[in-house]
Amino acid sequence: METNLYTNDDTILCRVFPISLEGATLTWYGGLPPRSIDSFDTLIERFSVQYATSRSHCMTLAALASLRQADDESLRKFIGKFGRTVVQIRNLNTEIKLHSMLLALHPSKFVDNLCKKLPGSMDEPHERAKGYIQIEEMSKFWNEVYQVKQKCERCKANTKTYLHKSDKRHKLDKCQPLSKRPGMSVTYP
C-alpha cells in the first residue's frame, strides 16, 4: 500500500519514517540512541550517511581487522580513517565496530574511557572522541608555543617574535622571525 504524506511537520515526519523501513534499516533505526534525533533533517543526514547508494561496499572485515592507528597519527585522523573504512563494510555489527576500534587505537585515556563505560552505539565514541581530540590538539599547540617562547641566551632576542634553535651554540643569524616561519602566525600578548 502506497501512501503520500503532505506535511512539513518534523514530529510527524520522524514518527512516520520508521513505518517505511524493514530488515537491516529498521534494525539500524531501532539502534539509534534515545533522543539522538532532534529533527527530520538530522534523521535524513544519519540515514544518508548509513545508506548512501553511491558508496562502495567492497571492503571486508579483513580490512577492518588490519586497521591500526599509526604511531604519529592523531586521534582526529584515525577516527576519520576508521569511519571511512566502516561505512564501506555492509551490515557491520556495532559491537564488532567498537571492538575493532578499541584494538586499532593506541592505548590512551580515550581507550580507557571507552572500556570503562562501553558505548551503546557508534555515535557515542565519536562524541567522546571530540573532547580527547581537542585535548590532543591543544597539547600539541601549547608544546609548540613553549618551544617558541624559550629564551636564547646567546642573542638575547625577544622570544615573543623570534624562534630559536635548541642548540645553544647557534649563530645570531639562525634566529628566524616567526612571521617567516611557514605555518606559524601566532601572536603573544
Side-chain angles (χ1 to χ4, degrees), residues 9 13 19 25 31 33 39 52-53 57-58 63-64 66 79 85 90 107 109 113 120-122 141 144 154 170:
D9 185 336
L13 292 171
I19 296 170
T25 54
S39 70
T53 56
H57 295 285
C58 58
L64 189 59
S66 65
I79 294 291
T85 303
R90 203 182 281 258
K109 290 183 180 183
N113 178 283
S121 72
M122 282 309 291
F141 170 77
E144 288 176 8
R154 283 275 179 147
H170 75 278

Side-chain angles (χ1 to χ4, degrees), residues 40-96:
F40 190 66
D41 288 340
T42 304
L43 183 57
I44 290 171
E45 181 182 336
R46 292 257 179 102
F47 185 83
S48 297
V49 167
Q50 184 70 22
Y51 294 103
T53 56
S54 62
R55 74 177 179 187
S56 135
H57 295 285
C58 58
M59 292 263 186
T60 65
L61 283 176
L64 189 59
S66 65
L67 191 64
R68 296 286 179 265
Q69 183 180 14
D71 290 338
D72 61 342
E73 188 173 25
S74 70
L75 182 57
R76 178 183 298 279
K77 283 186 180 180
F78 174 77
I79 294 291
K81 178 173 70 175
F82 183 84
R84 286 187 300 276
T85 303
V86 164
V87 297
Q88 294 182 46
I89 301 172
R90 203 182 281 258
N91 299 326
L92 185 59
N93 181 306
T94 300
E95 287 146 6
I96 293 173

Side-chain angles (χ1 to χ4, degrees), residues 165-180:
K165 302 287 182 186
S166 59
D167 179 10
K168 292 182 179 179
R169 296 172 292 156
H170 75 278
K171 295 179 182 174
L172 185 61
D173 64 336
K174 297 284 184 185
C175 294
Q176 305 169 8
L178 284 178
S179 59
K180 291 185 181 177

Side-chain angles (χ1 to χ4, degrees), residues 53-164:
T53 56
S54 62
R55 74 177 179 187
S56 135
H57 295 285
C58 58
M59 292 263 186
T60 65
L61 283 176
L64 189 59
S66 65
L67 191 64
R68 296 286 179 265
Q69 183 180 14
D71 290 338
D72 61 342
E73 188 173 25
S74 70
L75 182 57
R76 178 183 298 279
K77 283 186 180 180
F78 174 77
I79 294 291
K81 178 173 70 175
F82 183 84
R84 286 187 300 276
T85 303
V86 164
V87 297
Q88 294 182 46
I89 301 172
R90 203 182 281 258
N91 299 326
L92 185 59
N93 181 306
T94 300
E95 287 146 6
I96 293 173
K97 289 180 200 176
L98 179 60
H99 182 71
S100 299
M101 177 185 273
L102 291 173
L103 290 176
L105 285 164
H106 288 302
S108 65
K109 290 183 180 183
F110 173 60
V111 173
D112 292 346
N113 178 283
L114 291 177
C115 290
K116 283 179 186 172
K117 185 176 183 237
L118 291 174
S121 72
M122 282 309 291
D123 290 334
E124 205 174 319
H126 292 286
E127 283 303 311
R128 287 195 222 171
K130 288 179 185 177
Y132 288 93
I133 288 168
Q134 235 179 357
I135 291 168
E136 188 178 83
E137 290 173 351
M138 286 302 295
S139 178
K140 182 180 177 188
F141 170 77
W142 285 114
N143 284 338
E144 288 176 8
V145 167
Y146 175 74
Q147 290 171 0
V148 169
K149 289 184 90 175
Q150 288 181 348
K151 271 194 172 177
C152 168
E153 292 181 18
R154 283 275 179 147
C155 64
K156 306 286 186 199
N158 179 350
T159 60
K160 291 183 179 179
T161 56
Y162 283 86
L163 170 68
H164 305 283

